[in-house]
Structure formats: C-alpha cells, structure tokens
C-alpha cells in the first residue's frame, strides 16, 4: 500500500493523488480543536462515562488522534478509558508522518514518538495500538465503509475527516453514512470540516440531525450534528478472570486483560512462569501467509505479525 505525497517549503504535506492538504496550513492543532473536539463537545461528552469511543474517517498523519488523546489524558479521571477507531485507505509511510508532525513536537511530547513506534506495517486490515494504559487506537487500513461494516461496537463521536468531498467523493458515500447510523445511538455526535450539500443530505437521510456552524479559518461553514435514534446499548464487562497456566499464552492473556482494567488471577503448578513448552530458549515468529492476500487467514496472520513486532519494540528497554 502506497500513497504519493509531497512537502512544500513550509513543510505542508499534500496528497499528490487527491491534490489536497492533510490539515490546515494556518494551524493544524487549532483546526482539530475547533472542528472535531469542539464540534463533538469534547471533553464534556466523555464526562461521567467509563468508556468513550471515537471513530474517525481518514487517519492521515494522526494529528486528530494526538489531539484527542492529549485532551483525554488532561481531562478524564483515572478510571475512564478512551477507544479510538480510525480508518485509512491510503496509509502514509512512517517517515512522512514523522516529518509532517515534527512542528508539533513541543505540544505532544513523547506521544508522537509512541505513535510512530507502534505505527504498523502497511498491511490491509485491523491494527491495535496501545497508546497508553487508558487509550487504545484500532487503526484499520481499508475503505471507511468496508471497515466500519466489520464493527459492532457503538460509537460515541465521529470525526468525519479525509480529503474534501469534491476531491475524494468515494469516501463520502451513502454506504458510509449507513454504517454510521448503524453504529450510532441517541447520544452520538459527529463533526466535519465540510459543509457540502451531498454530505448534509446523506447524513440527514440516515437519521442524523445536522447543523451548519462556523468553520475554521478560511472555511466559512462546517457541519455538526447528532443521532436521532437507537438506544445506547448497555454492556457488562467481566471484573475478574482466572487463567490456568502461566506459559506464553497464559501470560500474554493476563497482560492484555490487565491492560483493559480487569483483575486477573493466574494459576500455575510450577514455581515460575514460562515452564513446559514455553521454556524454550529461542523462538521463531513465523507468520503463515496464503496465496490470497485478502483471505481472513492471511490478514489475521500478517496483522498479528505486525502487532508482535511493535510490542517487542516497546519492550526493547526491559
């Protein structure tokens, strides 16, 4: 997967394929704050919630994600968690993202380094990034409508980003709006930089209340709104989990559950972890690839391989 981009003398990143910029040349952070954070009433919207889920169309450089992540850590209480789902059909190279985000280093600090360290191989499919113990990012390299059709988790706020509808009409499709309606509930909001009539009508047709408000900078208008149907489903999450066996599988499962805030008890008959087959001194990471690159088996194996590489990189200092 490859997307051709260029940088001008002011370090503005531009898509050569779509002839559009990734964020405002005036002030990218201010644009995200006004359009997506303000448009979705953040941080007020995640107050008094244990979990909050943001969905984004068009990951791009990750600037919106960094802004939401920073705001959450500055305003949320310790028990709250933020899950972000972002789609990108044309993922950038890691070095292009690093260059585009370099001017914002002082605002985000080590968050940019963390994002770049975990940025996955550009393999189609789902990629999970643990940005912190309370913030996760599911980055999906796929068409937005197709990606969200594979998700069942309710969304609390939508960041409708991506290139302008006139330059990338395929993303702003009725299929995407239908998936948004399916995943939204009566408290779900959305915000987008565009005020295009087709977008406004498309969202209204699937049950969103749409409002035109002041845009950012030179953009006179933008759209915000909320869902008008669907009760918010209630989920119960396990509080305590018992795991039998402290080998690689048991230890990894315990680690992942603990990161999700679940209390874990591990039962192991031996005196230490990693006995039995897991006591081998050397192991081989061996993804199983099939002839069809789009098969579920290939995607699961390849994205899993990308994930373990990133996890090992995160633990390199241990």
């Amino acid at each position: 997967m490859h997307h051709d981009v260029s940088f001008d003398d002011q370090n503005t990143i531009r898509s050569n394929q779509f002839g559009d910029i990734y964020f405002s040349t005036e002030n990218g952070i201010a644009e995200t704050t006004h359009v997506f954070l303000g448009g979705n009433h953040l941080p007020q919207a995640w107050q008094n919630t244990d979990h909050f889920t943001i969905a984004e169309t068009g990951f791009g450089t990750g600037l919106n994600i960094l802004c939401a992540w920073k705001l959450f850590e500055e305003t949320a209480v310790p028990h709250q968690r933020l899950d972000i789902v972002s789609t990108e059909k044309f993922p950038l190279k890691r070095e292009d993202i690093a260059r585009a985000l370099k001017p914002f280093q002082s605002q985000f600090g080590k968050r940019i380094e963390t994002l770049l360290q975990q940025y996955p191989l550009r393999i189609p499919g789902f990629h999970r990034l643990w940005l912190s113990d309370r913030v996760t990012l599911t980055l999906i390299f796929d068409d937005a409508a197709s990606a969200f059709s594979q998700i069942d988790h309710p969304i609390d706020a939508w960041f409708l980003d991506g290139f302008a509808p006139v330059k990338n009409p395929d993303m702003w499709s009725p299929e995407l709006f239908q998936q948004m309606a399916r995943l939204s509930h009566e408290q779900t909001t959305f915000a987008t930089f565009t005020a295009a009539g087709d977008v406004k009508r498309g969202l209204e047709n699937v049950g969103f209340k749409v409002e035109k408000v002041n845009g950012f900078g030179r953009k006179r208008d933008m759209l915000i709104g909320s869902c008008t149907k669907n009760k918010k489903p209630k989920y119960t999450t396990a509080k305590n989990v018992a795991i039998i066996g402290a080998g690689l599988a048991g230890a990894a499962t315990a680690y992942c559950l603990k990161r999700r805030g679940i209390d874990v008890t591990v039962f192991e008959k031996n005196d230490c972890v990693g006995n039995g087959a897991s006591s081998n001194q050397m192991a081989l990471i061996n993804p199983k690839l099939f002839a069809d690159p789009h098969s579920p088996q290939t995607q699961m194996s390849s994205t899993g391989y990308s994930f373990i590489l990133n996890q090992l990189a995160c633990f390199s200092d241990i």
Side-chain angles (χ1 to χ4, degrees):
M1 303 179 74
H2 175 70
H3 192 51
D4 184 30
V5 298
S6 58
F7 291 83
D8 63 17
D9 295 339
Q10 285 73 46
N11 201 51
T12 301
I13 182 172
R14 175 180 295 272
S15 166
N16 295 330
Q17 178 176 345
F18 293 100
D20 201 359
I21 57 177
Y22 278 81
F23 47 77
S24 170
T25 57
E26 298 175 55
N27 190 320
I29 293 178
E31 178 186 38
T32 293
T33 300
H34 176 84
V35 176
F36 299 110
L37 304 182
N40 281 290
H41 313 297
L42 302 176
Q44 294 84 359
W46 58 49
Q47 293 178 354
N48 303 316
T49 62
D50 292 333
H51 288 79
F52 194 85
T53 303
I54 295 172
E56 177 189 47
T57 59
F59 174 79
T61 65
L63 183 60
N64 294 338
I65 304 303
L66 289 164
C67 290
W69 174 15
K70 182 174 184 288
L71 181 65
F72 182 81
E73 291 191 332
E74 291 174 344
T75 61
V77 295
H79 76 276
Q80 290 181 293
R81 301 177 64 85
L82 174 64
D83 293 316
I84 306 172
V85 182
S86 183
T87 64
E88 180 56 68
K89 189 175 182 179
F90 305 100
L92 295 171
K93 294 185 292 186
R94 181 186 277 108
E95 52 265 38
D96 287 334
I97 294 177
R99 180 175 175 180
L101 294 177
K102 188 175 181 180
F104 308 115
Q105 189 69 48
S106 61
Q107 289 94 326
F108 296 117
K110 291 186 177 180
R111 291 184 182 89
I112 293 178
E113 179 183 344
T114 298
L115 178 64
L116 291 172
Q117 185 180 49
Q118 295 193 53
Y119 188 71
L121 299 175
R122 291 182 292 167
I123 300 169
F126 286 58
H127 302 271
R128 173 58 68 92
L129 286 68
W130 281 93
L131 301 180
S132 73
D133 285 340
R134 297 197 296 148
V135 181
T136 61
L137 167 62
T138 302
L139 181 54
I140 311 172
F141 292 153
D142 195 359
D143 171 76
S146 173
F148 288 119
S149 71
Q150 303 173 64
I151 293 175
D152 290 319
H153 188 77
I155 303 300
D156 298 305
W158 291 91
F159 292 4
L160 292 184
D161 206 352
F163 299 117
V166 68
K167 298 183 178 182
N168 183 25
D170 290 344
M171 193 204 80
W172 306 85
S173 66
E175 291 77 18
L176 172 61
F177 302 143
Q178 290 164 7
Q179 293 303 324
M180 289 178 59
R182 181 180 66 85
L183 295 171
S184 298
H185 53 80
E186 59 187 354
Q187 298 173 28
T188 299
T189 60
F190 80 85
T192 179
F193 65 88
T194 184
D198 288 345
V199 174
K200 181 176 183 294
R201 289 185 291 272
L203 289 165
E204 290 174 334
N205 288 341
V206 296
F208 281 90
K209 179 182 177 181
V210 182
E211 181 182 358
K212 186 181 292 186
V213 297
N214 291 334
F216 174 79
R218 300 176 185 177
K219 291 183 178 292
R220 185 178 63 182
D221 302 311
M222 57 175 268
L223 301 178
I224 63 172
S226 58
C227 184
T228 59
K229 57 183 182 179
N230 302 336
K231 292 288 185 181
K232 184 175 183 178
K234 294 183 179 180
Y235 292 94
T236 57
T237 303
K239 302 294 185 182
N240 302 279
V241 173
I243 297 174
I244 300 175
L248 286 173
T253 302
Y255 172 74
C256 290
L257 290 173
K258 192 66 178 177
R259 296 196 78 173
R260 288 168 170 79
I262 298 172
D263 290 331
V264 180
T265 301
V266 180
F267 295 90
E268 170 58 52
K269 66 179 182 179
N270 296 295
D271 295 334
C272 60
V273 301
N275 282 278
S278 296
S279 63
N280 292 329
Q281 296 299 306
M282 185 175 295
L284 175 67
I285 302 173
N286 182 28
K288 291 179 169 49
L289 306 179
F290 296 80
D292 181 4
H294 302 291
S295 70
Q297 297 93 334
T298 296
Q299 289 206 0
M300 182 178 72
S301 184
S302 58
T303 55
Y305 178 66
S306 176
F307 179 78
I308 190 62
L309 290 180
N310 288 336
Q311 291 298 295
L312 292 173
C314 292
F315 295 142
S316 61
D317 296 331
I318 296 178

